[in-house]
Structure formats: structure tokens, C-alpha cells
Short mmCIF file of all heavy atoms in Angstrom, two decimals:
data_model
loop_
_atom_site.label_atom_id
_atom_site.label_comp_id
_atom_site.label_asym_id
_atom_site.label_seq_id
_atom_site.Cartn_x
_atom_site.Cartn_y
_atom_site.Cartn_z
N MET A 11 -31.53 111.96 -191.91
CA MET A 11 -30.98 110.87 -191.10
C MET A 11 -32.08 109.99 -190.58
O MET A 11 -33.18 110.46 -190.29
CB MET A 11 -30.14 111.41 -189.98
CG MET A 11 -28.91 112.16 -190.36
SD MET A 11 -27.97 112.76 -188.94
CE MET A 11 -26.52 113.43 -189.75
N GLY A 12 -31.79 108.66 -190.50
CA GLY A 12 -32.78 107.74 -190.02
C GLY A 12 -32.97 107.69 -188.53
O GLY A 12 -33.92 107.14 -188.01
N VAL A 13 -31.97 108.25 -187.81
CA VAL A 13 -32.09 108.42 -186.32
C VAL A 13 -31.76 109.83 -185.98
O VAL A 13 -30.74 110.37 -186.48
CB VAL A 13 -31.13 107.44 -185.61
CG1 VAL A 13 -30.96 107.80 -184.14
CG2 VAL A 13 -31.63 105.99 -185.71
N ASN A 14 -32.54 110.42 -185.16
CA ASN A 14 -32.30 111.82 -184.76
C ASN A 14 -31.00 111.92 -184.00
O ASN A 14 -30.84 111.22 -182.95
CB ASN A 14 -33.45 112.35 -183.90
CG ASN A 14 -33.44 113.85 -183.70
OD1 ASN A 14 -32.36 114.43 -183.41
ND2 ASN A 14 -34.58 114.49 -183.89
N PRO A 15 -30.00 112.65 -184.46
CA PRO A 15 -28.71 112.70 -183.76
C PRO A 15 -28.82 113.31 -182.34
O PRO A 15 -27.90 113.10 -181.56
CB PRO A 15 -27.84 113.62 -184.68
CG PRO A 15 -28.83 114.37 -185.45
CD PRO A 15 -30.01 113.52 -185.65
N ASN A 16 -29.91 113.97 -182.04
CA ASN A 16 -30.11 114.54 -180.69
C ASN A 16 -31.11 113.74 -179.92
O ASN A 16 -31.76 114.24 -178.97
CB ASN A 16 -30.59 115.99 -180.80
CG ASN A 16 -29.43 116.96 -181.09
OD1 ASN A 16 -28.27 116.54 -181.24
ND2 ASN A 16 -29.75 118.23 -181.21
N ARG A 17 -31.28 112.45 -180.24
CA ARG A 17 -32.33 111.65 -179.60
C ARG A 17 -32.18 111.62 -178.09
O ARG A 17 -33.19 111.57 -177.34
CB ARG A 17 -32.32 110.24 -180.17
CG ARG A 17 -31.04 109.46 -179.83
CD ARG A 17 -31.06 108.06 -180.54
NE ARG A 17 -29.76 107.42 -180.34
CZ ARG A 17 -29.50 106.68 -179.28
NH1 ARG A 17 -30.44 106.47 -178.35
NH2 ARG A 17 -28.33 106.12 -179.12
N LYS A 18 -30.93 111.67 -177.57
CA LYS A 18 -30.74 111.59 -176.11
C LYS A 18 -31.06 112.95 -175.43
O LYS A 18 -31.22 113.00 -174.22
CB LYS A 18 -29.32 111.18 -175.79
CG LYS A 18 -29.02 109.75 -176.20
CD LYS A 18 -27.60 109.34 -175.77
CE LYS A 18 -27.31 107.92 -176.11
NZ LYS A 18 -25.94 107.48 -175.67
N LEU A 19 -31.11 114.04 -176.20
CA LEU A 19 -31.41 115.34 -175.63
C LEU A 19 -32.91 115.67 -175.74
O LEU A 19 -33.38 116.46 -174.90
CB LEU A 19 -30.59 116.40 -176.43
CG LEU A 19 -29.08 116.26 -176.44
CD1 LEU A 19 -28.47 117.32 -177.35
CD2 LEU A 19 -28.53 116.40 -175.04
N ASN A 20 -33.56 115.14 -176.74
CA ASN A 20 -35.00 115.55 -177.04
C ASN A 20 -35.96 115.02 -175.97
O ASN A 20 -35.64 114.07 -175.21
CB ASN A 20 -35.39 115.09 -178.42
CG ASN A 20 -34.79 115.94 -179.48
OD1 ASN A 20 -34.49 117.11 -179.29
ND2 ASN A 20 -34.63 115.35 -180.68
N HIS A 21 -37.12 115.61 -175.96
CA HIS A 21 -38.23 115.14 -175.17
C HIS A 21 -38.94 114.08 -175.97
O HIS A 21 -39.77 114.40 -176.82
CB HIS A 21 -39.19 116.30 -174.81
CG HIS A 21 -38.52 117.45 -174.13
ND1 HIS A 21 -37.88 117.36 -172.92
CD2 HIS A 21 -38.37 118.77 -174.54
CE1 HIS A 21 -37.38 118.55 -172.60
NE2 HIS A 21 -37.66 119.37 -173.55
N ASN A 22 -38.60 112.83 -175.76
CA ASN A 22 -39.16 111.74 -176.53
C ASN A 22 -40.46 111.30 -175.89
O ASN A 22 -40.58 110.24 -175.25
CB ASN A 22 -38.15 110.57 -176.59
CG ASN A 22 -36.97 110.95 -177.47
OD1 ASN A 22 -37.12 111.50 -178.58
ND2 ASN A 22 -35.76 110.68 -176.97
N ILE A 23 -41.51 112.15 -176.08
CA ILE A 23 -42.80 111.86 -175.57
C ILE A 23 -43.76 111.79 -176.73
O ILE A 23 -43.61 112.50 -177.75
CB ILE A 23 -43.25 112.88 -174.54
CG1 ILE A 23 -43.16 114.32 -175.15
CG2 ILE A 23 -42.41 112.80 -173.29
CD1 ILE A 23 -43.68 115.39 -174.24
N PRO A 24 -44.82 110.96 -176.64
CA PRO A 24 -45.71 110.85 -177.79
C PRO A 24 -46.62 112.06 -177.94
O PRO A 24 -46.89 112.77 -176.97
CB PRO A 24 -46.56 109.59 -177.44
CG PRO A 24 -46.53 109.57 -175.94
CD PRO A 24 -45.16 110.07 -175.53
N ILE A 25 -47.11 112.27 -179.15
CA ILE A 25 -48.15 113.28 -179.38
C ILE A 25 -49.34 112.89 -178.55
O ILE A 25 -49.73 111.73 -178.48
CB ILE A 25 -48.49 113.32 -180.89
CG1 ILE A 25 -47.35 113.89 -181.67
CG2 ILE A 25 -49.78 114.12 -181.11
CD1 ILE A 25 -47.49 113.78 -183.19
N GLU A 26 -49.91 113.88 -177.88
CA GLU A 26 -51.06 113.61 -176.97
C GLU A 26 -52.33 113.39 -177.77
O GLU A 26 -53.18 114.27 -177.88
CB GLU A 26 -51.18 114.79 -176.02
CG GLU A 26 -50.08 114.90 -174.99
CD GLU A 26 -50.19 113.86 -173.91
OE1 GLU A 26 -51.29 113.54 -173.47
OE2 GLU A 26 -49.13 113.33 -173.49
N ASN A 27 -52.44 112.20 -178.29
CA ASN A 27 -53.75 111.75 -178.82
C ASN A 27 -53.88 110.27 -178.54
O ASN A 27 -52.93 109.59 -178.14
CB ASN A 27 -53.87 112.06 -180.32
CG ASN A 27 -53.10 111.15 -181.20
OD1 ASN A 27 -52.35 110.31 -180.75
ND2 ASN A 27 -53.29 111.28 -182.50
N GLY A 28 -55.09 109.71 -178.74
CA GLY A 28 -55.37 108.36 -178.36
C GLY A 28 -54.45 107.37 -179.05
O GLY A 28 -53.94 106.41 -178.42
N ARG A 29 -54.27 107.48 -180.36
CA ARG A 29 -53.52 106.49 -181.09
C ARG A 29 -52.07 106.47 -180.68
O ARG A 29 -51.49 105.38 -180.41
CB ARG A 29 -53.64 106.76 -182.59
CG ARG A 29 -52.84 105.74 -183.44
CD ARG A 29 -53.12 105.90 -184.91
NE ARG A 29 -52.25 105.03 -185.67
CZ ARG A 29 -51.07 105.37 -186.16
NH1 ARG A 29 -50.60 106.59 -185.97
NH2 ARG A 29 -50.35 104.52 -186.88
N TYR A 30 -51.42 107.60 -180.60
CA TYR A 30 -49.97 107.62 -180.28
C TYR A 30 -49.74 107.25 -178.85
O TYR A 30 -48.73 106.60 -178.53
CB TYR A 30 -49.39 108.99 -180.62
CG TYR A 30 -49.20 109.16 -182.13
CD1 TYR A 30 -49.72 110.24 -182.76
CD2 TYR A 30 -48.48 108.26 -182.87
CE1 TYR A 30 -49.55 110.46 -184.11
CE2 TYR A 30 -48.32 108.39 -184.24
CZ TYR A 30 -48.83 109.51 -184.88
OH TYR A 30 -48.69 109.66 -186.22
N LYS A 31 -50.62 107.61 -177.94
CA LYS A 31 -50.48 107.20 -176.54
C LYS A 31 -50.64 105.68 -176.44
O LYS A 31 -49.92 105.03 -175.68
CB LYS A 31 -51.47 107.94 -175.64
CG LYS A 31 -51.09 109.44 -175.46
CD LYS A 31 -51.78 110.07 -174.28
CE LYS A 31 -53.29 110.01 -174.37
NZ LYS A 31 -53.93 110.69 -173.23
N MET A 32 -51.66 105.14 -177.16
CA MET A 32 -51.79 103.68 -177.15
C MET A 32 -50.61 102.98 -177.69
O MET A 32 -50.09 102.01 -177.12
CB MET A 32 -53.04 103.34 -178.02
CG MET A 32 -53.29 101.85 -178.22
SD MET A 32 -52.30 101.06 -179.51
CE MET A 32 -52.85 101.90 -180.93
N LEU A 33 -50.02 103.52 -178.77
CA LEU A 33 -48.86 102.89 -179.40
C LEU A 33 -47.67 102.90 -178.44
O LEU A 33 -46.96 101.86 -178.27
CB LEU A 33 -48.50 103.65 -180.66
CG LEU A 33 -47.40 103.10 -181.50
CD1 LEU A 33 -47.70 101.63 -181.92
CD2 LEU A 33 -47.17 103.95 -182.73
N PHE A 34 -47.46 103.99 -177.73
CA PHE A 34 -46.36 104.11 -176.77
C PHE A 34 -46.57 103.12 -175.61
O PHE A 34 -45.66 102.48 -175.12
CB PHE A 34 -46.17 105.51 -176.32
CG PHE A 34 -44.99 105.71 -175.43
CD1 PHE A 34 -43.72 105.30 -175.79
CD2 PHE A 34 -45.09 106.35 -174.16
CE1 PHE A 34 -42.61 105.48 -174.99
CE2 PHE A 34 -44.00 106.51 -173.34
CZ PHE A 34 -42.77 106.09 -173.75
N HIS A 35 -47.83 103.09 -175.15
CA HIS A 35 -48.15 102.13 -174.08
C HIS A 35 -47.87 100.68 -174.50
O HIS A 35 -47.30 99.90 -173.76
CB HIS A 35 -49.62 102.30 -173.70
CG HIS A 35 -50.08 101.36 -172.60
ND1 HIS A 35 -50.67 100.18 -172.86
CD2 HIS A 35 -49.99 101.46 -171.25
CE1 HIS A 35 -50.98 99.58 -171.72
NE2 HIS A 35 -50.55 100.32 -170.72
N HIS A 36 -48.25 100.37 -175.75
CA HIS A 36 -48.01 99.03 -176.24
C HIS A 36 -46.50 98.71 -176.30
O HIS A 36 -46.06 97.68 -175.84
CB HIS A 36 -48.62 98.93 -177.65
CG HIS A 36 -48.31 97.64 -178.37
ND1 HIS A 36 -48.62 96.39 -177.84
CD2 HIS A 36 -47.73 97.42 -179.61
CE1 HIS A 36 -48.25 95.47 -178.75
NE2 HIS A 36 -47.71 96.06 -179.77
N LEU A 37 -45.71 99.65 -176.84
CA LEU A 37 -44.29 99.46 -176.96
C LEU A 37 -43.57 99.41 -175.60
O LEU A 37 -42.54 98.79 -175.44
CB LEU A 37 -43.66 100.53 -177.85
CG LEU A 37 -44.08 100.43 -179.32
CD1 LEU A 37 -43.67 101.69 -180.06
CD2 LEU A 37 -43.48 99.22 -180.00
N SER A 38 -44.14 100.12 -174.62
CA SER A 38 -43.53 100.20 -173.30
C SER A 38 -43.86 98.98 -172.46
O SER A 38 -43.30 98.85 -171.34
CB SER A 38 -44.01 101.46 -172.55
OG SER A 38 -43.60 102.63 -173.24
N SER A 39 -44.71 98.11 -172.97
CA SER A 39 -45.20 96.98 -172.12
C SER A 39 -44.29 95.74 -172.30
O SER A 39 -44.66 94.62 -171.90
CB SER A 39 -46.61 96.62 -172.50
OG SER A 39 -46.71 96.11 -173.84
N PHE A 40 -43.09 95.90 -172.92
CA PHE A 40 -42.27 94.71 -173.27
C PHE A 40 -41.91 93.89 -172.02
O PHE A 40 -41.72 92.68 -172.13
CB PHE A 40 -41.02 95.13 -174.03
CG PHE A 40 -40.06 96.05 -173.25
CD1 PHE A 40 -39.12 95.53 -172.43
CD2 PHE A 40 -40.18 97.44 -173.37
CE1 PHE A 40 -38.26 96.36 -171.70
CE2 PHE A 40 -39.35 98.29 -172.67
CZ PHE A 40 -38.35 97.74 -171.80
N SER A 41 -41.82 94.52 -170.87
CA SER A 41 -41.42 93.78 -169.65
C SER A 41 -42.45 92.77 -169.26
O SER A 41 -42.18 91.86 -168.44
CB SER A 41 -41.16 94.76 -168.49
OG SER A 41 -42.34 95.45 -168.19
N LYS A 42 -43.69 92.87 -169.76
CA LYS A 42 -44.75 91.94 -169.43
C LYS A 42 -44.60 90.60 -170.18
O LYS A 42 -45.33 89.63 -169.87
CB LYS A 42 -46.12 92.53 -169.71
CG LYS A 42 -46.40 93.81 -168.89
CD LYS A 42 -47.82 94.33 -169.27
CE LYS A 42 -48.16 95.56 -168.45
NZ LYS A 42 -49.47 96.12 -168.77
N TYR A 43 -43.74 90.60 -171.16
CA TYR A 43 -43.65 89.39 -172.04
C TYR A 43 -42.45 88.54 -171.64
O TYR A 43 -41.76 88.02 -172.50
CB TYR A 43 -43.52 89.84 -173.49
CG TYR A 43 -44.75 90.56 -174.02
CD1 TYR A 43 -44.86 91.94 -173.89
CD2 TYR A 43 -45.82 89.86 -174.52
CE1 TYR A 43 -45.98 92.64 -174.37
CE2 TYR A 43 -46.97 90.54 -174.96
CZ TYR A 43 -47.03 91.93 -174.88
OH TYR A 43 -48.15 92.58 -175.31
N PHE A 44 -42.26 88.37 -170.36
CA PHE A 44 -41.16 87.55 -169.84
C PHE A 44 -41.22 86.13 -170.28
O PHE A 44 -40.23 85.40 -170.32
CB PHE A 44 -41.09 87.65 -168.32
CG PHE A 44 -42.33 87.15 -167.63
CD1 PHE A 44 -42.45 85.82 -167.32
CD2 PHE A 44 -43.38 87.99 -167.32
CE1 PHE A 44 -43.60 85.32 -166.70
CE2 PHE A 44 -44.52 87.49 -166.71
CZ PHE A 44 -44.65 86.18 -166.41
#
């Protein structure tokens, strides 16, 4: 499946490394682009 059917149940946290944390930080910054 292209979307995890348990997405609302899972721990949707990035893998703890520099690249994935950076990526999540980038995607989470959408509110700054008002």
C-alpha cells in the first residue's frame, strides 16, 4: 500500500540521523512560509 493503514497509530518520528532529522525539520517549517 502507498499509505500505511496504521499511520494514525504509529510513532511517526524520523530515524535519528542528521539527514532524516534535517528533512523532517525542513518539512515541519511550512508555517514560516506565510
